[in-house]
Amino acid sequence: MKLILTILLSISLTSCGIYSFTGASIPTEAKTISVGYFSNKAATVQPSLSQVFTERLKDMLLEQTNLSLSENESDLSFSGYISKYQIKPMAIKANETAGKNRLTIAIKVTYNNSLDSENNFEHTFSRYRDYDGSLNLSDKDPQSGEPVEEFLIEEITKELAEDVFNKAFVNW
């Protein structure tokens, strides 16, 4: 009985493509993936952001799929650019200084599935983090001990990469 249940479970999990316990559904024919460099086209350019996000997305795709990274043509590909890097005050105190500031990062992503064009998309993803208005971006973050800007970029790019991954592969 256990053997029959195992076989049925295996068939149901693989019938619509590769299923992983991350919830990702990737076509079984897909073997390669490519990630283009996400250039920074935002009005304010943060020098390391392009590299940080591009590498974050590559790492996530390699960690959560069995696909091989390709520099050339691939079965699945991601490209795009950073469209927004903005800091603005959110909570103004009585003395007209910012109690909280918000860092917002937005990316425009194009996903191309050469095996099934119905899954292609072009989408803008945006995430933000608020931080204490008394801190400069170069100050040490009280939680992590690293510079505020680095900490915020790390957190935001992690969420953005998850959003891109989920839109491409998680069909909930």
Side-chain angles (χ1 to χ4, degrees):
M1 186 67 180
K2 286 184 181 180
L3 179 62
I4 293 172
L5 184 59
T6 303
I7 292 170
L8 289 174
L9 185 60
S10 296
I11 291 170
S12 68
L13 289 177
T14 60
S15 64
C16 296
I18 297 173
Y19 178 81
S20 72
F21 290 102
T22 63
S25 179
I26 300 165
T28 53
E29 316 84 57
K31 304 293 181 229
T32 59
I33 194 161
S34 65
V35 177
Y37 182 74
F38 279 74
S39 62
N40 197 333
K41 296 183 180 180
T44 303
V45 174
Q46 199 289 336
S48 66
L49 182 57
S50 292
Q51 186 71 28
V52 169
F53 178 75
T54 302
E55 293 304 315
R56 167 80 66 190
L57 184 57
K58 284 180 185 178
D59 289 347
M60 177 170 277
L61 293 167
L62 291 174
E63 289 169 5
Q64 296 192 20
T65 71
N66 291 325
L67 301 170
S68 299
L69 194 61
S70 172
E71 296 293 323
N72 303 320
E73 283 190 37
S74 61
D75 299 322
L76 311 173
S77 67
F78 293 89
S79 61
Y81 59 90
I82 296 159
S83 59
K84 182 187 222 178
Y85 182 88
Q86 181 183 55
I87 299 166
K88 65 181 185 179
M90 295 309 297
I92 306 300
K93 295 193 277 185
N95 60 357
E96 296 186 21
T97 59
K100 288 277 184 191
N101 287 324
R102 176 171 289 174
L103 171 60
T104 303
I105 300 173
I107 55 169
K108 175 100 177 202
V109 177
T110 301
Y111 170 67
N112 184 15
N113 180 333
S114 66
L115 305 170
D116 183 2
S117 62
E118 286 185 23
N119 290 326
N120 294 351
F121 67 79
E122 198 170 290
H123 189 79
T124 299
F125 299 89
S126 181
R127 288 290 185 150
Y128 67 87
R129 278 280 194 278
D130 293 339
Y131 63 97
D132 191 316
S134 66
L135 295 173
N136 290 318
L137 288 177
S138 59
D139 290 346
K140 297 282 184 191
D141 179 70
Q143 294 175 324
S144 69
E146 57 187 311
V148 171
E149 187 173 31
E150 285 181 29
F151 175 74
L152 295 171
I153 287 172
E154 189 75 21
E155 293 294 308
I156 295 170
T157 57
K158 180 179 177 182
E159 289 179 352
L160 287 169
E162 288 172 359
D163 290 345
V164 171
F165 182 88
N166 289 339
K167 175 109 172 113
F169 302 125
V170 180
N171 302 318
W172 293 89

